[in-house]
């Protein structure tokens, strides 16, 4: 029973990390209709930059803040290249983000090296009904819940959040109302970078990151995001938790090497299910 509880809490924490990555996918796709395959790069930058800054003597808090700003700036830069030119087709923008994520490998190796980096944030562990669970995993869960609450308030109560929602619902009407969809898209990329960077900062103390860790994070984040059709934050969180717990259980009871197969199988199943429903939904709309 103690092992089950340990795997469960670890899976929830892992799912929360996926949820932060997924929220970046959802936000950017909602506003721009672009799937940003560089989302995992933001997480790698956030985690590895924090580790590097801490190793140079910067304190906690400042290191994480600088890493978050760097991730947001990278998001803005990638957004400027991908959608900054008016009239760029969404497919071309998707290809651009994929190419930039691959090209980022060289920059990350130059800046941080090719070895995994980690650091200590919340040290120690808690006795959770007989299971020893790292405090860092509770930090991940708590920060993720707060982040989703902030996102909910941001979109419901602020003018900028409502402008982003307007661009998601009807870009043409938003433009007529004086909202610039391109600027909102760039802001979405910056916030997506911030969310991805936060995921990397939180996961690095329990799972060291290297320059190529973005693929695993992006696959899991994308699998969680498509749970809600790349449009809903709540269902992305639910999908991420299901995915994280499933991977943790498979890794704990079977073999950790099968964890990525769980994500791929879940993603494929959801995509097939949604594709099967699309004709029926289209007929209902007619």
């Amino acid at each position: 029973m103690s092992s089950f509880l340990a795997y469960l809490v670890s899976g929830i924490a892992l799912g929360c990390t996926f949820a932060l990555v997924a929220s970046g996918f959802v936000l950017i796709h909602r506003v721009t209709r672009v799937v940003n395959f560089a989302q995992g790069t933001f997480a790698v930058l956030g985690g590895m930059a924090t580790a590097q800054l801490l190793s140079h003597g910067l304190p906690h808090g400042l290191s994480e803040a600088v890493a978050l700003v760097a991730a947001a700036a990278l998001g803005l830069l990638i957004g400027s290249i991908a959608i900054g030119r008016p009239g760029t087709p969404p497919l071309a923008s998707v290809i651009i983000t994929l190419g930039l994520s691959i090209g980022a490998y060289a920059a990350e190796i130059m800046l941080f090296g090719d070895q995994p980096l980690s650091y200590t944030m919340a040290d120690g562990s808690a006795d959770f009904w007989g299971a020893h669970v790292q405090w860092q995993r509770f930090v991940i869960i708590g920060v993720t819940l707060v982040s989703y609450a902030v996102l909910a308030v941001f979109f419901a109560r602020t003018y900028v959040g409502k402008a982003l929602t307007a661009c998601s619902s009807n870009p043409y009407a938003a433009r007529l109302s004086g909202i610039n969809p391109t600027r909102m898209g760039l802001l979405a990329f910056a916030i997506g970078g911030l969310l991805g960077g936060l995921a990397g900062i939180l996961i690095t103390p329990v799972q060291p990151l290297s320059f190529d860790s973005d693929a695993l994070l992006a696959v899991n984040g994308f699998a969680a995001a498509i749970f809600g059709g790349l449009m809903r934050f709540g269902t992305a969180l639910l999908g991420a938790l299901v995915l994280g717990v499933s991977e943790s259980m498979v890794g704990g009871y079977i073999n950790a090497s099968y964890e990525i197969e769980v994500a791929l199988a879940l993603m494929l199943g959801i995509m097939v299910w949604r594709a099967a429903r699309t004709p029926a939904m289209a007929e209902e709309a007619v």
Side-chain angles (χ1 to χ4, degrees):
M1 186 63 182
S2 60
S3 297
F4 173 80
L5 290 175
Y7 296 149
L8 178 62
V9 176
S10 298
I12 293 173
L14 184 63
C16 286
T17 303
F18 297 158
L20 290 172
V21 177
S23 63
F25 274 112
V26 171
L27 174 59
I28 292 171
H29 183 265
R30 281 180 54 169
V31 178
T32 67
R33 295 300 184 270
V34 172
V35 178
N36 176 33
F37 284 114
Q39 192 65 32
T41 304
F42 304 147
V44 171
L45 175 62
M48 297 189 77
T50 300
Q52 192 82 339
L53 292 171
L54 288 171
S55 69
H56 283 81
L58 267 71
H60 277 291
L62 180 58
S63 297
E64 287 84 351
V66 172
L68 285 175
V69 171
L74 180 61
L76 182 60
L77 175 62
I78 290 177
S80 300
I81 299 172
I83 66 167
R85 183 178 179 181
T88 303
L91 180 58
S93 298
V94 170
I95 295 173
I96 289 171
T97 64
L98 180 60
L100 290 173
S101 69
I102 296 172
Y105 285 180
E108 289 163 353
I109 291 174
M110 290 177 60
L111 291 172
F112 310 119
D114 59 355
Q115 298 300 312
L117 298 180
S118 185
Y119 52 87
T120 300
M121 183 179 289
D123 200 7
S125 61
D127 189 359
F128 184 68
W129 288 351
H132 295 285
V133 182
Q134 293 172 286
W135 279 113
Q136 181 64 29
R137 299 191 186 277
F138 293 106
V139 171
I140 294 172
I141 296 170
V143 172
T144 300
L145 294 178
V146 170
S147 298
Y148 265 75
V150 170
L151 282 174
V153 173
F154 173 72
F155 281 104
R157 300 294 180 86
T158 67
Y159 172 79
V160 176
K162 292 178 179 179
L164 287 168
T165 301
C167 291
S168 170
S169 302
N170 192 324
Y172 180 72
R175 188 178 291 107
L176 293 179
S177 302
I179 300 171
N180 189 320
T182 301
R183 290 181 181 175
M184 291 297 102
L186 294 176
L187 177 60
F189 266 89
I191 298 175
L194 190 72
L195 292 167
L198 180 60
I201 290 171
L202 292 172
I203 195 63
T204 303
V206 296
Q207 183 177 308
L209 294 183
S210 61
F211 70 94
D212 58 350
S213 298
D214 65 318
L216 182 61
L217 291 168
V219 167
N220 283 286
F222 182 67
I226 64 172
F227 194 78
L230 285 166
M231 294 297 288
R232 297 170 183 160
F233 290 103
T235 48
L237 175 60
L238 176 61
L241 292 176
V242 170
L243 185 61
V245 172
S246 299
E247 289 191 13
S248 181
M249 293 298 175
V250 168
Y253 288 111
I254 303 177
N255 193 313
S257 62
Y258 294 139
E259 291 182 1
I260 188 63
E261 281 79 1
V262 172
L264 293 173
L266 180 62
M267 181 170 60
L268 179 61
I270 294 172
M271 293 177 73
V272 170
W273 175 73
R274 294 188 66 85
R277 282 175 53 87
T278 300
M281 293 169 62
E283 289 177 5
E284 291 175 2
V286 173

